[in-house]
């Protein structure tokens, strides 16, 4: 039985009519001795199978905590998690760990940023892949080994027989990340989280890994949430993008709409502060003044207002809600959204 | 890219001139050696910013450290003005320090957590006894203000009270305090958020203009390097591949590796399909056993037997555009698209 | 500022920290008013020392004060004020800790013992601190041949059975306070050298050390100004534990008859003189043992508190 057919077997569980993932007003606060850190502060979205959502933000935006909060991979103590996460109609917020264990690996899986620390250094790669297989699919050792072989070749690892017997440190960073992907997709999850999957990798390898994730996502008809700080990474590889700032989604749109018609000043500032390969050398970069937001004592009103070039008194006192989707499916939270003319002066392509 | 040769070196005045530099590191106790820098020749001209770009293991950081004499070269020369640095010992080498400074990647690690910012920035002035007490203090306040730090408030604080971007500003202030000629910047923005990265890049440009600096800017991000550099050198596995002005290099790369690097950069434009670009497969070979001939040949779609047998020499393909390749790409020629992204 | 989430929160905290490494936010991720908050926090940490630490500090302060003031305190002489008629008498109002086998006041002997025992322990560890610290700092900073040789010397010293080593030194050179101190110093040197070396090794990898060298700082300046201040907390913490170990070691040497001669009052000698009466008058052994217990416990505890305090601050760096 190949890995693909295993996926089929798990996919034949009665699929309800509900969308794969519905996140509604999800909040995740951490209690610290300095105060409550509002890492995720009311995030809502829906994700269907076969679709890819890009979550973009800088450090402190809450993007990493968001994916962990959806998966339920949070510390037990000193965390307040509220709102709703429905996976195929099943509510996961407040669910028992014993239920979550059924989902982890089997229904939803995660590829982490650093493959070196997320693989067990003293366990052979083959064993790390087959462990999850045998736990979730209840198959024989031989069968699991065969599947692991098929998985390794499907993620583009040459000489899979030899690689199965290796330890993580005997592999390059790119190979390790391929192994991580193989482990993540082993049980045919319906939802794959990729949290900065290429940040630790070289640029030529990054391209290969992103291609691999995209191929696997399409072939296996998974939903994928691609978390990154790099707008370039998500541009050509996602269906939809959510831009996060200070624990909130500030703009969300289908990828092409977002890039051609961005409305939130933060998205604009983020795009224009990246040096672009098409710009001539010594082009003066636009910068976002100030610093990322304070998640314990966030600014009143719009969280971006202290750094926003267009902010008015209204922005500093009243927080703009995330607008209802327009005909393009475009949502943003801004009192004075960027107009096309303003964008052109900002030099966004 | 197993490029050697010196066709690209300027005949005129240079601030730094590196010739045939080799830096080897022993690997464990195996007796094996890795050539992190394997015969690099390169020069840096007065007032320019030379970008050094390449992936991990290409030797760009080691080259920077070898220029600083923080790591010792096994052979070759580093000429700083008229001074040959690699043969200098102890006190003589120390005398060159205030003229040659460095900025590091990790802003947190590069500042001593137990010292106050004022002391950190002053250190060079104190060591070299430049000026009197009052003029040193004035200089510290000046450079801190110039890099955008509230100097009066900052000097009494310790580094952990500052953010990563601010720490990097303090590092820059420390580097310029002794009025150096050259600053080696080793991945100075790669640990920072994009919005902060832009601030620091702009700041470096300002500092260069204000203090008449010459910069060697080491980074893995091609867009960042293009933005700040006057010339860009691309490295691979300890060798030089290509060196040219950024606009020329990025518009028409002559080395297949440069072309592959450029096409691998994720572009923030959804109209570009990233999977249809030209590119290279595989990963960087182990530097323990580098390929014969051209070191890039194992991943190069254009490689032939000649590439395995003969190491390409640096040649001038266009005015001021040098490349070490037997089959350089012509202007407008693209790298063949990658057949299958994954086997 | 590692402490917001304990235990299983670690992973997530690391994740948060990973992303913060790329951040323009201070290491605790969160504040714009960080500078003000941080300055307050360090003070709060000081103010917020656990009650136990204050008790330990109080105990040590009383002990050290009593030891220093022993000659002027209104207590009997620990050697000469013997009352053989009341030998081995239990605690009374006049002699709250009782009298020993020679009829000497145990309370007084404990205070005089503190004077000598604490002197021996502190002097030994301070000697070890200076010599071992210097060895460790040098060998950790110069990783090459110098470091290797010094490291090997340290390892050889560590490999010696330490009590036997101390025993040998005292037996050959004589049972004087100076010799016992030196014997314990020799034992503490490699321990402090080892700890200092490990810490110096990791700190000298930091970029700021390279930066100092690149500024033109000489080796000595770099060691003293850049590395030593960072290594000091670990050294102090181990030194506190070292003093505790030295106190026990001094007592142990006395018990095996290789300590300071009985005409000098040390805690070891106080216990030694009582051990023959342990069945009939256990107080003679019990009280000095309890004093040693509390002292060793206080020192160990303070060592831990010291380390925890600096760990918190280091993780914030």
């Amino acid at each position: 039985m190949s890995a693909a057919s295993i996926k089929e077997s798990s996919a034949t569980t009665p699929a309800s009519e509900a969308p794969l993932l519905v996140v509604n007003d999800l909040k995740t606060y951490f209690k610290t001795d300095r105060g409550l850190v509002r890492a995720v502060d009311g995030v809502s979205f829906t994700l269907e199978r076969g679709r890819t959502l890009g979550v973009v933000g800088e450090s402190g935006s809450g993007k990493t905590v968001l994916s962990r909060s959806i998966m339920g991979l949070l510390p037990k103590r000193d965390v307040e998690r509220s709102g709703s996460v429905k996976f195929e109609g099943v509510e996961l917020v407040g669910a028992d760990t014993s239920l979550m264990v059924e989902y982890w690996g089997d229904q939803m899986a995660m590829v982490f940023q650093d493959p070196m620390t997320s693989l067990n250094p003293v366990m052979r790669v083959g064993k790390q892949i087959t462990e999850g297989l045998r736990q979730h699919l209840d198959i024989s050792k031989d069968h699991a080994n065969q599947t692991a072989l098929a998985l390794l070749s499907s993620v583009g690892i040459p000489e899979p027989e030899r690689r199965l017997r290796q330890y993580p440190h005997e592999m390059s960073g790119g190979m390790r990340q391929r192994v991580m992907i193989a482990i993540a997709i082993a049980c045919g999850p319906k939802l794959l989280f990729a949290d900065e999957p290429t940040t630790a990798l070289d640029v030529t390898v990054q391209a290969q890994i992103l291609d691999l994730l995209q191929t696997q996502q399409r072939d296996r008809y998974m939903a994928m949430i691609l978390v990154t700080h790099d707008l370039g990474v998500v541009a050509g590889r996602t269906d939809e993008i959510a831009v996060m700032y200070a624990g909130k989604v500030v703009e969300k749109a289908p990828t092409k709409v977002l890039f051609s018609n961005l409305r939130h000043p933060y998205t604009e500032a983020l795009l224009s502060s990246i040096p672009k390969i098409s710009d001539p050398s010594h082009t003066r970069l636009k910068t976002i003044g100030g610093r990322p937001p304070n998640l314990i004592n966030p600014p009143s009103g719009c969280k971006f207002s202290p750094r926003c070039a267009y902010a008015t008194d209204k922005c500093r006192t009243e927080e703009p809600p995330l607008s209802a989707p327009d005909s393009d499916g475009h949502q943003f939270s801004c009192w004075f959204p960027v107009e096309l003319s303003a964008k052109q002066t900002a030099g966004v392509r | 890219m197993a490029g050697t040769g010196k066709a690209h070196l300027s005949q005129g005045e240079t601030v730094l001139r590196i010739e045939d530099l080799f830096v080897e590191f022993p690997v464990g106790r195996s007796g094996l050696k890795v050539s992190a820098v394997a015969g690099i020749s390169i020069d840096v001209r007065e007032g320019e910013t030379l970008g050094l770009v390449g992936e991990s293991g290409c030797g760009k950081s080691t080259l920077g450290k070898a220029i600083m004499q923080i790591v010792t070269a096994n052979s070759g020369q580093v000429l700083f003005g008229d001074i040959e640095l690699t043969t200098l010992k102890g006190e003589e080498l120390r005398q060159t320090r205030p003229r040659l400074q460095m900025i590091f990647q990790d802003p947190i690690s590069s500042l001593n957590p137990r010292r106050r910012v004022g002391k950190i920035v002053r250190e060079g002035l104190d060591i070299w006894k430049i000026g009197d007490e009052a003029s040193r203090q004035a200089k510290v306040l000046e450079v801190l203000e110039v890099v955008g730090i509230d100097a009066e408030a900052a000097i009494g604080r310790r580094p952990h009270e500052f953010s990563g971007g601010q720490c990097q500003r303090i590092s820059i202030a420390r580097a310029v305090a002794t009025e150096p000629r050259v600053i080696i910047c080793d991945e100075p923005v790669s640990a920072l958020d994009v919005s902060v990265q832009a601030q620091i890049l702009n700041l470096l440009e300002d500092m260069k203009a204000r203090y008449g600096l010459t910069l060697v800017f080491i980074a893995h991000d091609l867009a960042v390097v293009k933005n700040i550099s006057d010339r860009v050198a691309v490295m691979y596995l300890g060798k030089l591949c290509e060196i040219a002005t950024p606009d020329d290099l990025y518009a028409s790369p002559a080395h297949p590796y440069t072309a592959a690097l450029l096409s691998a950069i994720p572009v923030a434009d959804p109209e570009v399909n990233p999977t249809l670009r030209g590119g290279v497969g595989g990963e960087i070979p182990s530097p323990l056993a580098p390929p014969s001939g051209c070191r890039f040949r194992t991943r190069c779609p254009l490689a032939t037997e000649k590439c395995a047998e003969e190491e390409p020499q640096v040649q001038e393909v266009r005015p001021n555009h040098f490349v070490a390749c037997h089959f350089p790409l012509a202007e407008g020629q693209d790298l063949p698209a990658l057949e299958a992204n994954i086997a | 500022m590692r402490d917001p989430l304990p235990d299983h929160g670690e992973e997530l905290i690391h994740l948060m920290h990973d992303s913060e490494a790329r951040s323009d936010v201070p290491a605790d991720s969160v504040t714009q008013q960080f500078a003000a908050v941080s300055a307050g926090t360090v003070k709060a940490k000081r103010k917020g020392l656990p009650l136990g630490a204050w008790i330990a500090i109080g105990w040590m302060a009383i002990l050290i004060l009593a030891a220093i003031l022993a000659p002027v305190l209104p207590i009997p002489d620990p050697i000469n004020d013997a009352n053989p008629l009341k030998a081995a008498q239990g605690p009374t109002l006049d002699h709250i800790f009782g009298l020993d086998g020679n009829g000497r006041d145990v309370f007084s002997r404990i205070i005089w013992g503190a004077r000598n025992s604490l002197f021996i322990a502190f002097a030994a560890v301070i000697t070890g601190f200076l010599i071992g610290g210097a060895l460790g700092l040098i060998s950790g900073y110069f990783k090459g041949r110098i470091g290797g040789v010094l490291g090997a010397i340290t390892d050889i010293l560590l490999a010696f059975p330490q009590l036997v080593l101390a025993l040998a030194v005292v037996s050959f050179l004589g049972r004087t306070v100076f010799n016992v101190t030196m014997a314990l110093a020799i034992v503490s040197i490699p321990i402090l050298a080892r700890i200092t070396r490990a810490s110096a090794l990791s700190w000298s990898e930091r970029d700021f050390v390279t930066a100092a060298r690149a500024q033109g700082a000489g080796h000595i300046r770099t060691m003293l100004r850049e590395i030593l201040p960072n290594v000091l907390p670990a050294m102090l913490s181990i030194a506190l534990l070292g003093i505790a170990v030295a106190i026990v070691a001094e007592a142990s040497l006395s018990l095996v008859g290789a300590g300071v001669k009985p005409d000098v009052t040390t805690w070891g000698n106080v216990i030694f003189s009582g051990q023959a009466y342990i069945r009939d008058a256990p107080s003679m052994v019990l009280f000095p043992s309890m004093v040693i217990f509390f002292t060793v416990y206080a020192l160990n505890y303070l060592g831990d508190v010291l380390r925890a305090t600096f760990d918190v601050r280091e993780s914030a760096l």
Side-chain angles (χ1 to χ4, degrees):
Chain A
M1 199 188 190
S2 75
S5 57
I6 286 179
K7 176 216 92 184
E8 287 310 320
S9 69
S10 67
T12 50
T13 47
S16 53
E17 290 305 304
L20 181 71
L21 181 70
V22 182
V23 176
N24 193 17
D25 198 28
L26 182 65
K27 291 181 179 167
T28 309
Y29 298 166
F30 296 101
K31 288 182 210 153
T32 72
D33 38 3
R34 281 148 198 268
L36 208 56
V37 177
R38 296 175 165 82
V40 175
D41 200 10
V43 170
S44 308
F45 65 87
T46 302
L47 188 62
E48 304 279 1
R49 264 195 104 156
R51 307 275 291 173
T52 300
L53 171 72
V55 177
V56 179
E58 296 183 275
S59 48
S61 66
K63 59 186 193 301
T64 292
V65 176
L66 173 67
S67 53
R68 261 146 245 265
S69 184
I70 294 171
M71 261 189 107
L73 287 173
L74 290 172
K76 280 216 172 54
R77 271 184 284 168
D78 299 318
V79 176
E80 287 175 15
R81 178 167 170 244
S82 65
S84 156
V85 174
K86 284 208 166 93
F87 187 86
E88 291 185 322
V90 180
E91 179 60 56
L92 300 186
V93 171
D96 205 63
T97 311
S98 59
L99 174 71
M100 293 313 298
V101 170
E102 294 295 311
Y103 279 93
W104 291 334
D106 194 32
Q107 301 287 317
M108 45 174 87
M110 186 175 272
V111 177
F112 297 89
Q113 171 174 345
D114 185 351
M116 195 62 222
T117 53
S118 37
L119 287 171
N120 184 341
V122 295
M123 197 190 279
R124 286 179 207 276
V125 159
K127 173 106 175 149
Q128 299 192 46
I129 300 175
T130 52
E131 248 193 357
L133 279 172
R134 299 194 61 194
Q135 182 196 335
H136 286 293
L137 304 181
D138 191 27
I139 54 178
S140 74
K141 201 170 175 181
D142 278 353
H143 189 170
N145 278 334
Q146 286 306 311
T147 312
L149 266 183
L151 278 166
L152 280 193
S153 18
S154 79
V155 296
I157 294 184
E159 306 174 72
E161 294 89 348
R162 188 168 68 86
R163 294 292 184 178
L164 275 182
R165 292 190 301 273
Q166 285 188 328
Y167 290 97
H169 70 86
E170 298 175 84
M171 298 182 159
S172 67
M175 281 299 153
R176 285 197 288 263
Q177 199 57 299
R178 286 174 193 271
V179 169
M180 272 305 295
I181 293 171
I183 292 173
I185 62 178
C187 299
K190 294 169 189 156
L191 175 59
L192 183 66
F193 292 88
D195 185 2
E196 300 266 12
T198 58
T199 306
L201 303 175
D202 278 323
V203 60
T204 53
V205 182
Q206 161 173 305
Q208 297 166 16
I209 295 295
L210 290 171
D211 289 347
L212 171 65
L213 280 170
Q214 198 169 355
T215 323
Q216 293 295 332
Q217 180 260 331
R218 286 196 184 141
D219 292 355
R220 290 162 193 267
Y221 197 57
M222 293 182 288
M224 183 158 82
I225 295 182
L226 183 56
V227 179
T228 178
H229 67 281
D230 188 344
L231 274 162
V233 165
V234 289
R237 304 176 192 272
T238 52
D239 302 302
E240 245 190 328
I241 292 179
V243 179
M244 285 189 71
Y245 189 83
K248 293 177 188 273
V249 172
V250 293
E251 182 160 19
K252 181 167 164 289
T255 304
K256 287 190 178 170
V257 175
L258 185 88
F259 279 92
S260 62
N261 189 26
L262 65 87
R263 304 302 304 275
H264 200 286
Y266 175 65
T267 316
E268 179 196 36
L270 200 58
L271 253 180
S272 56
S273 67
I274 308 172
K276 274 168 273 302
I277 211 92
S278 50
D279 285 348
S281 163
H282 297 296
T283 301
R284 188 80 181 174
L285 296 167
K286 307 244 177 220
T287 60
I288 310 179
R291 294 203 220 162
N294 176 342
L295 298 179
I296 288 179
N297 295 306
S300 60
C302 171
K303 304 279 179 282
F304 186 59
S305 59
R307 306 173 71 190
C308 181
Y310 314 116
T312 68
D313 284 344
K314 180 177 186 183
C315 303
R316 286 182 270 272
T317 48
E318 272 179 74
E319 182 158 21
L322 191 65
S323 64
D326 64 12
S327 55
D328 290 331
H330 197 159
Q331 296 173 270
F332 49 86
S333 60
C334 183
W335 296 122
F336 307 102
V338 184
E339 298 297 333
L340 213 59
S341 57
K343 255 186 304 173
Q344 278 157 351
T345 50
V348 178
R349 11 186 256 165
Chain B
M1 95 181 11
T4 50
K6 299 172 196 170
H8 57 293
L9 295 190
S10 155
Q11 302 305 312
E13 192 76 353
T14 56
V15 185
L16 272 174
R17 190 181 172 93
I18 294 122
E19 290 194 38
D20 299 318
L21 196 73
F22 279 83
V23 182
E24 292 176 343
F25 295 119
V27 181
R29 292 168 194 271
S30 59
L32 290 173
K33 284 193 171 159
V34 167
S35 297
V37 172
I40 295 268
S41 300
I42 205 163
D43 57 7
V44 187
R45 294 159 200 171
E46 183 80 48
E48 79 168 345
T49 299
L50 175 73
L52 288 180
V53 70
E55 296 179 282
S56 55
C58 76
K60 55 188 191 299
S61 283
T62 308
L63 178 57
K65 293 197 175 103
I67 295 171
M68 291 296 298
Q69 307 299 316
I70 291 168
V71 299
T72 314
N74 293 64
S75 65
Q77 294 184 321
V78 176
L79 278 166
F80 177 49
D82 307 327
I83 313 162
E84 155 61 336
L85 295 180
T86 56
T87 54
L88 290 188
K89 290 273 175 282
E91 186 55 28
E92 284 176 325
L93 177 62
R94 216 172 69 83
Q95 293 296 335
T96 68
R97 293 300 192 193
R99 313 284 288 139
L100 191 57
Q101 283 291 314
M102 189 160 188
I103 300 168
F104 300 86
Q105 170 172 359
D106 181 347
I108 312 289
S109 156
S110 57
L111 303 177
N112 188 339
R114 298 228 180 273
R115 302 192 75 185
R116 293 177 197 281
V117 168
K119 283 283 181 199
I120 290 173
V121 176
R122 253 181 81 128
E123 180 75 2
L125 302 173
D126 285 343
I127 292 173
W128 297 104
K129 306 196 167 55
I130 298 169
D132 56 14
E133 173 66 31
S135 76
R136 283 181 212 171
Q137 198 61 17
K139 183 77 187 174
V140 168
L141 294 176
E142 177 210 315
V143 290
L144 279 172
E145 293 292 349
V146 168
V147 298
I149 298 278
D150 178 2
E152 292 289 351
I155 47 172
R157 299 218 171 119
R158 292 205 167 86
H160 68 93
E161 299 180 39
F162 295 87
S163 68
Q166 288 177 313
C167 284
Q168 206 58 306
R169 289 173 190 270
I170 294 166
S171 287
I172 293 171
R174 168 176 63 186
V176 297
T178 53
E179 297 179 358
R181 259 180 108 184
V182 177
I183 300 182
I184 314 274
C185 311
D186 188 2
E187 301 262 15
V189 296
S190 52
L192 306 173
D193 261 324
V194 283
S195 61
V196 183
Q197 167 178 303
Q199 295 170 6
I200 299 294
L201 287 172
N202 285 348
L203 175 64
L204 281 171
E205 293 269 30
D206 296 343
M207 300 308 275
K208 191 182 149 196
R210 183 181 178 113
Y211 291 104
L213 298 168
T214 302
L215 300 182
V216 175
F217 191 94
I218 300 165
H220 67 279
D221 185 327
L222 285 112
V224 164
V225 169
K226 180 179 185 186
N227 181 271
I228 199 164
S229 304
D230 299 305
R231 280 192 306 151
V232 174
V234 182
M235 293 175 66
Y236 186 81
L237 264 184
K239 297 277 188 182
L240 194 66
C241 297
E242 185 165 11
I243 180 164
T245 58
D247 294 334
D248 185 19
L249 183 86
Y250 285 58
S252 46
H255 200 289
Y257 176 61
T258 315
L261 269 183
L262 286 170
S263 67
I265 302 174
V267 184
D269 182 352
E271 304 301 325
V272 177
N273 185 338
T275 53
L276 293 181
R277 51 161 169 54
V280 292
E283 293 185 39
I284 301 163
S286 162
L288 274 174
S292 64
C294 172
R295 292 192 170 190
F296 184 58
R297 67 176 168 83
T298 51
R299 300 171 71 195
C300 181
L302 305 176
T304 67
E305 272 175 33
K306 183 181 182 189
C307 302
E309 287 156 9
E310 205 179 306
E311 182 173 10
Q313 298 288 307
V314 175
Q315 50 170 320
E316 187 166 16
V317 284
R318 289 188 284 281
N320 284 319
H321 193 142
F322 298 87
V323 65
C325 178
H326 292 306
F327 307 102
L329 298 167
E331 259 180 293
Q333 182 189 348
D334 284 334
L335 206 61
L338 209 55
E339 286 170 25
N341 288 309
I342 300 101
Chain C
M1 307 298 144
R2 168 72 60 76
D3 39 352
L5 307 183
D7 305 337
H8 44 295
E10 279 295 293
E11 193 204 352
L12 192 92
I13 289 305
H14 281 302
L15 287 163
M16 295 175 75
H17 276 259
D18 280 351
S19 56
E20 273 139 25
R22 344 178 26 90
S23 153
D24 197 34
V25 225
D28 73 341
S29 96
V30 232
T31 43
Q32 275 173 324
Q33 307 92 324
F34 183 69
V37 175
S38 164
T41 313
V42 174
K43 266 184 217 132
K45 285 269 190 281
R46 291 264 163 79
K47 228 180 264 167
L49 274 184
L51 180 66
W54 286 115
I55 295 175
I57 290 171
W59 170 260
M60 289 308 299
I62 290 170
L63 207 59
I64 291 170
L65 209 63
I68 292 170
L69 298 179
V72 296
L73 287 178
I75 50 174
D77 187 276
I79 302 287
N80 300 322
D81 283 349
N83 188 348
L85 295 176
K86 292 185 183 173
Q89 188 190 58
T92 62
L93 276 180
D94 286 344
H95 308 284
I96 55 169
F97 283 2
L99 299 173
D100 75 353
N102 295 322
R104 296 175 296 196
D105 181 70
V106 174
F107 181 75
S108 154
R109 282 175 62 76
I110 286 176
I111 287 178
W112 279 90
R115 193 176 165 86
N116 291 310
S117 288
L118 290 183
F119 171 81
I120 291 172
F122 274 89
V125 172
I126 288 170
T127 311
F129 187 87
L130 294 178
I131 300 176
L135 283 175
L137 193 62
I138 294 168
S139 67
Y141 176 73
F142 294 103
K143 271 147 269 182
R145 198 166 297 163
I146 304 175
V149 170
L150 292 181
I153 294 174
T154 309
D155 287 344
I156 291 170
L157 280 177
L158 265 179
F160 265 85
Q162 290 169 7
L163 201 59
V164 178
L165 181 70
L167 235 151
V169 171
V170 178
S171 314
F172 279 106
L173 299 180
R175 297 169 61 182
T176 66
V177 168
F178 179 81
N179 288 342
V180 169
T181 308
M182 282 307 105
L184 294 178
I186 291 170
V187 170
S188 67
I189 287 172
I191 297 170
L192 273 148
R194 190 68 188 251
I195 295 292
T196 312
R197 176 166 190 251
S199 183
L201 267 175
S202 77
W203 282 102
S204 52
E205 296 292 320
R206 297 279 189 111
D207 284 341
F208 66 79
V209 177
T210 314
R213 299 286 299 147
Q215 290 273 331
H219 290 303
I220 292 173
R221 188 183 179 102
T222 309
M223 272 192 280
L224 294 185
R225 299 210 180 187
E226 306 294 338
I227 298 180
L228 183 61
N230 289 294
V231 173
L232 218 46
M235 291 171 69
L236 285 173
S237 162
I238 289 297
L240 280 181
L241 307 189
I243 292 170
V245 172
I247 288 172
V248 174
E250 183 276 320
S252 309
L253 281 177
S254 289
L255 284 180
V256 298
V260 183
K261 279 187 197 140
D263 57 1
V264 179
T265 311
T266 68
W267 284 347
N269 284 340
V270 176
I271 295 176
F272 180 71
S273 66
Q275 68 172 356
Y277 303 85
I278 197 159
R279 280 171 164 277
D280 307 320
S283 63
M284 249 186 268
V285 173
L286 183 70
F287 286 114
S289 300
M290 273 171 59
V291 171
I292 290 183
F293 172 83
F294 286 128
T295 308
V296 169
Y297 189 84
L299 288 168
N300 278 326
Y301 184 78
L302 287 177
D304 281 346
V305 170
L306 185 74
R307 199 179 47 220
T309 310
F310 280 106
D311 276 353
V312 166
R313 286 180 55 192
E314 247 145 49
S315 66
L317 302 178

